[in-house]
Amino acid sequence: MVEFKEAKMYYENDADLNFLSGRTIAILGYGSQGHAHALNLRDSGAKVIVAQRPGGDNYKKAVEDGWNPVNVAEAVKQADWVHILLPDEMQKKVWDEDIKPNIKKGITLSFSHGFNIRYKRILPTPDLDVIMIAPKGPGHLVRRQYEEGKGVPCLIAIEQNASGKAKELSLAYAKAIGGTRGGVLETTFTEETETDLFGEQSVLCGGVVELINSGFETLVAAGYQPEIAYFECCHEMKLIVDLIFEGGIAKMNYSISDTAEYGEYVTGKRIITDETRAEMKKVLSDIQSGKFADSWVKENENGRTEFKKCREEVAARLIEKIGAKLRSKMAWTKK
Ligand code: NDP
Ligand code: MG
C-alpha cells in the first residue's frame, strides 16, 4: 500500500458567501459549465453578467434564462471577477484578443480546469488573483444537483494570491455553485490538470472505450451474435459501474456470482498487464512534459484533421450501430 495523507475537506460552514458581495462576476461562455455557474451564482445572491456570442443554442438559452448576454470584451470591462468557461483550446485566443486588453487591475481571474495556466498558454499579470473552482462533474449536474439542494464536489486551487484572500474567494464561489454541499478540497493547477488529463485518457474515456470495443469485437469475430456481445461488453458496463460507485469493488463482488468474481481475479491482470501499466506511465510522462498539450494545440491549429478522422472512425464502428438499434427499444435509456 502506498502511504497517503488525508486531504482536508471543506464544507458549508468553511465558506462565506459575503466574499462575493459587491462584486460583479463575469461568466464567459454559457455552455455546459457556464450556464450552471451563472444560474447557481445568481440563485446564491451573487451579481453576475454572462458573456455569450450570439447565433447558437447557448445564446438562446441564456436569453431564455433571463440574461442579457454581452460579448466577452464588454463583460470583462464591467467585471470585478472573471471566470473563463470557454473551451480550453479557445481560451488563449480569447484571452489575447478580448480579456487581457480589458481586464481591470487587481481583480480575480478564475478557471474550472488548469490547462491554460499549467501549460503557460495564459500568463496573467501579477496583480490578479488566479484561482480555480472546478466541479468534479458535468455542468448539467452542477445545475440540477444545486436545484435539488445537493451539490457536485469541487476542487479549488490558488495560482496567484495577490489579494491575500484567494482561498476565501475560492471557497465562497465553490459554496455559491453548490460545491461545499458535496465537499471541496484544495489542489494545485498542476495536480488538477495532470490527473484530469490522465484519468480521461487512460481510464474514463480512452481506456473504457477501447476496452468495451475490444471485448465486443473479440466476441463478434469469434462468431457470436453482435447483440449479445453488445449487452455483455457495453450495456452491462453501467450496471457494474453503478455498483462500484455505490459501494466500491466490495459491493460489486457481493452482487456478482462467485464464478464472475473468480474470473475477475484470474483474468483481470491478463488484460491490464505490466505492459499496459508501463504504457500508462508513458501517458502520464507525456502529460507532465507538455507533449500531449502541444499535440492538442497543434491539432487545433491544423484544423483538427486527425481529430475529425478519429471521430468518424469511432462513430462508424459496428458497436455503435448495434447499440443504437438496441437502445431504441429501451425507452428508459433515453433522456
Ligand atoms: P462548452 O463547450 O460546453 O461551452 C463553451 C462555451 O464557450 C459556449 O458558450 C461557446 O459558445 C463559447 N465559445 C466557444 N468558442 C468561443 C469563442 N471563440 N469566443 C467566445 N465564446 C466561445 O464548454 P464546457 O462548459 O464543457 O467547458 C468550459 C470549461 O469548463 C473548460 O475549461 C472545461 O475544461 C471546464 N470543465 C468542463 C466540464 C464539463 O462538464 N463539460 C467539467 C469540469 C470542467 P457557442 O455555444 O456559441 O459555441
Ligand atoms: Mg475530468
Side-chain angles (χ1 to χ4, degrees):
M1 264 284 270
V2 183
E3 298 247 341
F4 73 99
K5 198 169 131 246
E6 259 182 54
K8 171 155 176 51
M9 298 298 301
Y10 299 90
Y11 293 100
E12 293 285 87
N13 290 337
D14 302 311
D16 182 356
L17 288 177
N18 285 322
F19 281 95
L20 304 183
S21 60
R23 289 169 198 264
T24 299
I25 304 175
I27 299 295
L28 309 187
Y30 205 71
S32 176
Q33 289 293 325
H35 88 283
H37 292 225
L39 293 171
N40 292 3
L41 282 162
R42 181 169 75 184
D43 290 349
S44 295
K47 183 160 179 240
V48 176
I49 39 175
V50 167
Q52 171 61 47
R53 61 183 177 186
D57 289 345
N58 286 323
Y59 185 86
K60 268 187 247 157
K61 179 161 172 37
V63 173
E64 277 162 23
D65 290 342
W67 305 102
N68 177 21
V70 294
N71 65 35
V72 168
E74 193 49 50
V76 170
K77 276 181 203 158
Q78 293 178 37
D80 311 300
W81 184 322
V82 172
H83 192 89
I84 305 183
L85 290 170
L86 307 168
D88 298 299
E89 68 280 6
M90 294 304 306
Q91 291 183 9
K92 180 184 158 45
K93 187 170 183 285
V94 181
W95 166 261
D96 289 341
E97 291 172 7
D98 297 318
I99 306 174
K100 194 168 173 233
N102 294 305
I103 195 163
K104 285 192 227 166
K105 280 238 166 285
I107 69 164
T108 301
L109 175 68
S110 54
F111 297 83
S112 285
H113 181 39
F115 191 90
N116 285 283
I117 295 292
R118 165 63 182 83
Y119 295 113
K120 304 207 178 324
R121 292 171 48 76
I122 291 178
L123 294 167
T125 49
D127 56 291
L128 299 169
D129 282 339
V130 179
I131 63 180
M132 173 173 11
I133 306 96
K136 286 286 97 186
H140 296 91
L141 279 185
V142 173
R143 178 57 182 162
R144 195 199 307 163
Q145 293 216 340
Y146 178 89
E147 286 182 291
E148 292 170 354
K150 306 172 196 163
V152 171
C154 283
L155 303 181
I156 57 167
I158 298 162
E159 182 74 11
Q160 286 181 194
N161 188 2
S163 70
K165 292 279 175 242
K167 177 98 164 254
E168 289 83 351
L169 294 168
S170 314
L171 285 168
Y173 187 111
K175 183 173 187 169
I177 62 169
T180 48
R181 295 174 183 168
V184 171
L185 68 121
E186 190 170 355
T187 180
T188 59
F189 275 66
T190 296
E191 184 182 53
E192 186 275 339
T193 305
E194 293 175 1
T195 54
D196 191 68
L197 293 172
F198 178 80
E200 63 203 19
Q201 292 175 28
S202 304
V203 182
L204 306 174
C205 310
V208 162
V209 168
E210 289 313 310
L211 183 65
I212 290 175
N213 192 54
S214 302
F216 174 85
E217 286 184 349
T218 302
L219 288 176
V220 173
Y224 298 98
Q225 300 177 70
E227 289 81 357
I228 292 186
Y230 177 83
F231 282 136
E232 268 315 315
C233 299
C234 185
H235 184 78
E236 269 197 56
M237 178 68 92
K238 173 173 163 50
L239 310 179
I240 289 293
V241 169
D242 279 350
L243 293 171
I244 297 172
F245 180 83
E246 286 163 22
I249 306 295
K251 180 156 183 188
M252 180 196 73
N253 283 340
Y254 168 79
S255 214
I256 63 180
S257 68
D258 285 357
T259 312
E261 189 179 343
Y262 177 67
E264 172 192 328
Y265 300 143
V266 298
T267 306
K269 289 192 168 65
R270 293 175 61 187
I271 302 300
I272 307 299
T273 60
D274 287 345
E275 201 188 329
T276 316
R277 282 175 176 252
E279 199 61 34
M280 281 188 179
K281 270 195 177 168
K282 282 198 226 158
V283 167
L284 184 56
S285 306
D286 287 350
I287 290 168
Q288 290 167 333
S289 70
K291 192 173 164 197
F292 170 79
D294 286 346
S295 72
W296 177 221
V297 168
K298 282 207 187 75
E299 182 62 22
N300 278 287
E301 288 165 1
N302 297 335
R304 294 189 166 202
T305 29
E306 190 60 27
F307 179 86
K308 285 180 200 154
K309 205 176 98 206
C310 293
R311 193 181 253 181
E312 277 168 25
E313 267 168 28
V314 168
R317 284 176 175 175
L318 180 62
I319 192 171
E320 287 291 277
K321 292 199 179 63
I322 297 294
K325 183 186 83 174
L326 294 173
R327 287 191 305 273
S328 73
K329 301 289 179 207
M330 293 186 271
W332 61 91
T333 63
K334 295 197 196 74
K335 178 89 195 317

